[in-house]
Amino acid sequence: MNMRIGYGWDSHAFKAGVPLKIGGVSIEHPEGLAGHSDGDVLLHAITDALLGAVSAGDIGSFFPPGDPRWKGADSAIFLNLALEEIQNAGYRIVNVDTTLVLAAPKISPIAGELREHVAQLLDVKPSAVSIKAKTPEGLNADHVAQAHAVVLLEKVEDPSELKSMSEVIESQKQLEDVVRDLVSQVHGSPLERKKTFDTEDIT
């Protein structure tokens, strides 16, 4: 199979006194998103879409609920792990399409910045990333942010074209050993991955 599609969805409630971070970008807003990590709903949805595209489970498969190591963690860690997984499977990203659903803040004024930053994290061109926003009209969800993400991957026929995705987040070199260790643990014990599947939202 030369092409694969992945879908991811995530949601977090707003909470006072918490910094708001979406797509890896800090946003000025009275409330942030509650979560075990930094609550970055957009990166979580993209991460699950990437993992799902190569049948690698979900965020909870690698970052079990309640693990103190991921308390307040930068969601770029999760995304970087997913990038390593698709690389290990021999695929690369063609494009990513996302939709944020939230009442506030307004995303359109910063959509370009979000798009640029997400593209940088994914090591793709901005033209391969789409970020849209809708209001939750009629859903009674004004105090919640949701994100939907769809990714298209293509098989890389020449292995030399693949590069380590841990190079993508150059400002976070300290995360590389953590990510590599997690990948080696999971791939070294396939049965352990099945045991750690958990549908509880820990991010």
Side-chain angles (χ1 to χ4, degrees), residues 127-142:
S127 60
V129 176
S130 170
I131 295 178
K132 309 180 299 297
K134 304 290 183 181
T135 57
E137 185 177 352
L139 297 179
N140 194 28
D142 287 355

Side-chain angles (χ1 to χ4, degrees), residues 112-190:
E113 180 182 359
L114 294 180
R115 183 184 183 193
E116 291 279 348
H117 191 69
V118 170
Q120 181 181 4
L121 291 176
L122 297 175
D123 196 29
V124 298
K125 295 180 179 179
S127 60
V129 176
S130 170
I131 295 178
K132 309 180 299 297
K134 304 290 183 181
T135 57
E137 185 177 352
L139 297 179
N140 194 28
D142 287 355
H143 206 62
V144 175
Q146 303 177 50
H148 301 262
V150 178
V151 301
L152 178 65
L153 307 181
E154 66 177 353
K155 189 74 173 179
V156 178
E157 301 300 336
D158 183 358
S160 67
E161 294 182 24
L162 288 170
K163 66 177 181 178
S164 175
M165 289 297 114
S166 56
E167 298 174 2
V168 174
I169 311 177
E170 295 183 357
S171 63
Q172 299 179 29
K173 293 293 186 182
Q174 70 273 19
L175 303 183
E176 295 181 8
D177 289 339
V178 175
V179 170
R180 290 197 184 101
D181 181 58
L182 285 167
V183 172
S184 63
Q185 288 180 28
V186 173
H187 287 291
S189 305

Side-chain angles (χ1 to χ4, degrees), residues 34-203:
H36 185 64
S37 65
D38 61 5
D40 194 325
V41 67
L42 181 59
L43 293 191
H44 296 170
I46 295 173
T47 297
D48 267 350
L50 291 169
L51 292 173
V54 293
S55 302
D58 59 11
I59 294 177
S61 306
F62 296 93
F63 307 94
D67 191 326
R69 290 181 298 171
W70 317 123
K71 180 65 176 176
D74 188 333
S75 292
I77 298 174
F78 310 145
L79 187 64
N80 201 35
L81 186 282
L83 292 171
E84 290 283 356
E85 283 294 295
I86 67 169
Q87 175 194 282
N88 289 338
Y91 286 84
R92 63 185 169 199
I93 297 170
V94 176
N95 73 296
V96 178
D97 184 21
T98 68
T99 301
L100 288 162
V101 183
L102 70 174
K106 296 297 183 184
I107 297 300
S108 55
I110 58 172
E113 180 182 359
L114 294 180
R115 183 184 183 193
E116 291 279 348
H117 191 69
V118 170
Q120 181 181 4
L121 291 176
L122 297 175
D123 196 29
V124 298
K125 295 180 179 179
S127 60
V129 176
S130 170
I131 295 178
K132 309 180 299 297
K134 304 290 183 181
T135 57
E137 185 177 352
L139 297 179
N140 194 28
D142 287 355
H143 206 62
V144 175
Q146 303 177 50
H148 301 262
V150 178
V151 301
L152 178 65
L153 307 181
E154 66 177 353
K155 189 74 173 179
V156 178
E157 301 300 336
D158 183 358
S160 67
E161 294 182 24
L162 288 170
K163 66 177 181 178
S164 175
M165 289 297 114
S166 56
E167 298 174 2
V168 174
I169 311 177
E170 295 183 357
S171 63
Q172 299 179 29
K173 293 293 186 182
Q174 70 273 19
L175 303 183
E176 295 181 8
D177 289 339
V178 175
V179 170
R180 290 197 184 101
D181 181 58
L182 285 167
V183 172
S184 63
Q185 288 180 28
V186 173
H187 287 291
S189 305
L191 293 179
E192 181 178 346
R193 175 185 295 186
K194 295 181 181 179
K195 293 178 182 178
T196 58
F197 276 4
D198 198 315
T199 57
E200 181 179 348
D201 179 14
I202 59 95
T203 54

Side-chain angles (χ1 to χ4, degrees), residues 6-22:
Y7 169 74
W9 174 87
D10 195 33
S11 69
H12 289 288
F14 281 94
K15 180 180 179 180
V18 176
L20 179 60
K21 206 171 184 182
I22 297 178

